[in-house]
Structure formats: C-alpha cells, structure tokens
Amino acid sequence: MTLPLPSGDTWTRADYEALPEDLPVRVSLIHGELVVSPRPRPIHQRIARRLATRIEDAAPNAWQVDTDVDVLLDDDELEPVEIAPDIVVYSSEHDPCERPIHAESVTLVAEVVSPSTKRKDRRMQPALYAGAGIRHYWRVETDQTAPAFAVYTYELDDSSGAYVATGVHHDRVTATQPFALDIDLKSVRER
C-alpha cells in the first residue's frame, strides 16, 4: 500500500485526517512527522479491550471509554500531535462520531506495552500526554508471566507538569481518580 505524501514539508492535521481509516498499520502524527507502527498482536488488543470494558463498567455517565481513537494533543500548525492511545476515557459531551478527541476532554489514557516496546516510546508518549494536560496515565505491562503483568498508574503533577507514580497493580487496580475503580486484573489477562 502506498501512503499519500504530505502537502508540504511536514504532515498537517488535514493531511493526517485525509488518510484512509483502514490502513494495515497504526499511524500517529508527532510534531508534524507521520509515525508508522505495525498493528498490535492479538494479546495486546485483547488486554486493551478487556481493560477498557472494565473501566467503562465503572465509569459514571459523565465519561465514555473507547479504544484506539485519535486524541489531538497539540494543534500546532507546523508540528501537530495526534495519537491514538490504546484506551481513552473522555467527556460524554464529545460526540463519538467526531474525530479527533481534543485532549482537554480526556481524563485518562492507557497504553498497553509489551517487552518489545522501545524505551523511547515508553518515555515519549507519557511526556506528550502530560504536556497536553491529560490528568491520568496508565501503562499496562503485558508480559504474561506473573507477577510481571502489571498496571502502573500515574497522575499529572501540576507543579512540574509531569506524571508522578500513584501505584503498581498486579492483582487489582483500585483507584478513586478519575472515578472509583476496582478492577480484577486476572479477568483482564486470563479468560
């Protein structure tokens, strides 16, 4: 498959939005550069789907939960940033038929990572989410050998503008923010 070229030296939001939705790869727009990644493995998708369902079951009506949807982190004309996190919890005021979701409507993003995820991706994405003001970030480690499977939770620190760790969860995620959550992780990683 051939991807269209950007209209200028960098990719604009219009160029990005014009891409077909059924690409056989994942694409993100980071500071005007198109970043292409292979589609995730089935176990990655299964964990993301199951965790999103548990979060959605706990979410009050003010929030909606989706997977792999575009979030606009920076609308800079020359270097826009638009990424599709694995799980997005965002305001129910946002029309789910419209894309992208603006970062100010998002309260939580979660990324499911595997042992093969590059170190720079583990650092870059949280920094982009924090820079956009998203309050909560979860990193889900998918190594299936217990106790390596874990959910690392973070909250945005207003004074530093960076995430601070709020917990490491192997068996259950219990949290009061962004809303009350009590998730059995065994039901996420196993049938």
Side-chain angles (χ1 to χ4, degrees):
M1 169 176 225
T2 303
L3 291 175
L5 294 174
S7 58
D9 292 336
T10 62
W11 285 78
T12 65
R13 283 198 50 234
D15 296 330
Y16 182 76
E17 295 294 330
L19 290 171
E21 289 185 19
D22 61 348
L23 291 174
V25 292
R26 289 179 113 182
V27 293
S28 299
L29 181 61
I30 300 177
H31 301 299
E33 298 290 325
L34 191 68
V35 177
V36 179
S37 307
R39 283 274 182 221
R41 297 173 193 255
I43 190 65
H44 173 282
Q45 296 298 78
R46 180 178 301 161
I47 289 169
R49 176 180 44 82
R50 287 177 178 171
L51 184 57
T53 298
R54 301 319 183 276
I55 295 169
E56 185 175 47
D57 289 346
N61 290 338
W63 301 106
Q64 51 192 333
V65 181
D66 282 301
T67 59
D68 200 22
V69 293
D70 289 332
V71 175
L72 181 62
L73 301 176
D74 188 344
D75 199 12
D76 183 272
E77 189 173 316
L78 297 176
E79 295 187 352
V81 178
E82 193 167 325
I83 297 177
D86 291 316
I87 301 170
V88 181
V89 179
Y90 60 102
S91 171
S92 60
E93 293 179 9
H94 180 85
D95 181 349
C97 294
E98 296 296 322
R99 72 178 246 219
I101 301 164
H102 291 257
E104 58 267 11
S105 296
V106 177
T107 190
L108 167 70
V109 294
E111 290 288 359
V112 177
V113 298
S114 65
S116 64
T117 301
K118 296 177 184 169
R119 282 192 188 274
K120 71 174 183 137
D121 291 341
R122 288 176 190 249
R123 289 189 308 267
M124 180 185 58
Q125 287 179 336
L128 292 171
Y129 298 141
I134 295 174
R135 299 290 318 159
H136 304 276
Y137 168 71
W138 291 6
R139 187 181 81 239
V140 182
E141 296 287 343
T142 60
D143 188 334
Q144 294 299 292
T145 57
F149 181 93
V151 177
Y152 294 78
T153 57
Y154 301 87
E155 187 168 354
L156 190 62
D157 177 60
D158 293 325
S159 62
S160 69
Y163 288 118
V164 293
T166 57
V168 180
H169 310 269
H170 294 284
D171 298 316
R172 295 192 95 67
V173 174
T174 54
T176 58
Q177 296 296 323
F179 42 81
L181 289 159
D182 184 11
I183 300 170
D184 173 17
L185 292 177
K186 184 176 181 180
S187 69
V188 171
R189 69 177 178 256
E190 299 171 9
R191 257 191 194 272

